[in-house]
Amino acid sequence: PDVWVSSNGVTWTRVLAQGPWGNRYKPYVVVHDNRIWLMGGFDTSGLPNATYAPLNDVWSSPDGVTWTRVLARAPWAPRGATHGAAVMHGKIWVMGGGQYAHPGSPSERYFNDVWSSGNGIDWTLVSPAAPWPARLHHNVMTYAGKLWVFAGHDSMDGRVRLMNDTWVSSDGIIWTKLAGTPWSPRHAAVTLVHNDGLWLMAGFLENARDVWRLQLPGNLAINDGAATTSSRSVTLMVSPPDAAADMMQFSNDGVVWSPPEPYSRTRPGWVL
């Protein structure tokens, strides 16, 4: 239940010895609105004979020291084992996850619902069942202005079934499965965004030690992702993978470019 902080990964300071959320295993932790948010996970207070009871409370802290329980029971089912952090469009996103066997459930449970909240208190069910298979120990991330869900596991005939599929969405409702994922099936991997790329490292059950990087040159959508348009005047949706981008230009042929203009997520009035 402790909290540690470091500015260089070498020197660490314990800022809190006993968090008010108690002993807990595999919670979901994100940074949103200049606060640290800790949600869900499993109660391990009964160790060494823990039942791993799933939780769905929501805690928030501005500094890792002072914590407030903003919600005792979120509307999403108690769950844990989500790796990564998805914050997009000013909202926290909870996607998938699961439960271990415990007194309330004789077997593992897996979820593929999608929830979002701007304040950690009021939650919206964005999708009750996304097209990706329900899973736990999966990875979630925000990259290039989109939500990503990949890896993880469910079970088949009582045995763990590892995954290596990758799904992408700009709104949590419409999901696209990427073809040809090159890395081997795994769960409990490490994911992060660094140097304009989406990184995947390690994982289990094969004790993987490999490192993979996906880097997109940028993303443009026309009229919020419309497949066709009957008008040459359109609105462009701009999602550069580099969060530091502050200017943008456009071209229909790659030769003649519009004047540089301040970056904005939308660019109305572009003529194809």
Side-chain angles (χ1 to χ4, degrees), residues 48-257:
N49 298 313
T51 58
Y52 297 111
L55 304 168
N56 64 343
D57 51 351
V58 179
W59 295 78
S60 176
S61 172
D63 54 11
V65 178
T66 303
W67 290 85
T68 301
R69 188 176 71 175
V70 300
L71 199 59
R73 293 182 180 86
W76 35 268
R79 68 191 66 189
T82 298
H83 306 278
V87 175
M88 187 178 77
H89 302 333
K91 299 177 182 179
I92 304 168
W93 295 77
V94 170
M95 301 177 288
Q99 302 176 357
Y100 297 119
H102 61 283
S105 176
S107 60
E108 287 191 347
R109 296 182 63 193
Y110 310 97
F111 302 113
N112 64 343
D113 48 354
V114 178
W115 296 78
S116 69
S117 174
N119 58 14
I121 301 172
D122 304 303
W123 289 87
T124 299
L125 178 59
V126 178
S127 175
W132 36 269
R135 64 193 67 197
L136 59 72
H137 274 305
H138 60 308
N139 294 86
V140 301
M141 191 58 62
T142 302
Y143 171 63
K146 298 181 185 297
L147 298 169
W148 297 70
V149 171
F150 43 101
H153 84 258
D154 59 8
S155 64
M156 178 69 69
D157 299 327
R159 296 174 297 175
V160 168
R161 181 177 66 171
L162 298 175
M163 303 176 178
N164 75 333
D165 51 346
T166 302
W167 297 79
V168 187
S169 175
S170 60
D171 58 9
I173 301 173
I174 300 174
W175 291 85
T176 300
K177 182 179 181 180
L178 299 189
T181 303
W183 36 267
S184 62
R186 67 193 65 195
H187 75 207
V190 176
T191 49
L192 54 96
V193 174
H194 175 64
N195 282 348
D196 306 335
L198 176 61
W199 297 71
L200 173 78
M201 295 178 259
F204 201 62
L205 292 165
E206 298 176 354
N207 293 321
R209 295 180 293 175
D210 46 356
V211 179
W212 295 83
R213 180 188 186 193
L214 173 70
Q215 186 170 21
L216 302 179
N219 294 282
L220 281 177
I222 296 175
N223 292 343
D224 205 20
T228 61
T229 174
S230 58
S231 171
R232 292 181 61 200
S233 180
V234 298
T235 296
L236 303 177
M237 311 295 290
V238 187
S239 303
D242 185 352
D246 59 0
M247 301 294 289
M248 59 186 185
Q249 293 175 270
F250 301 96
S251 174
N252 284 322
D253 57 10
V255 177
V256 179
W257 291 82

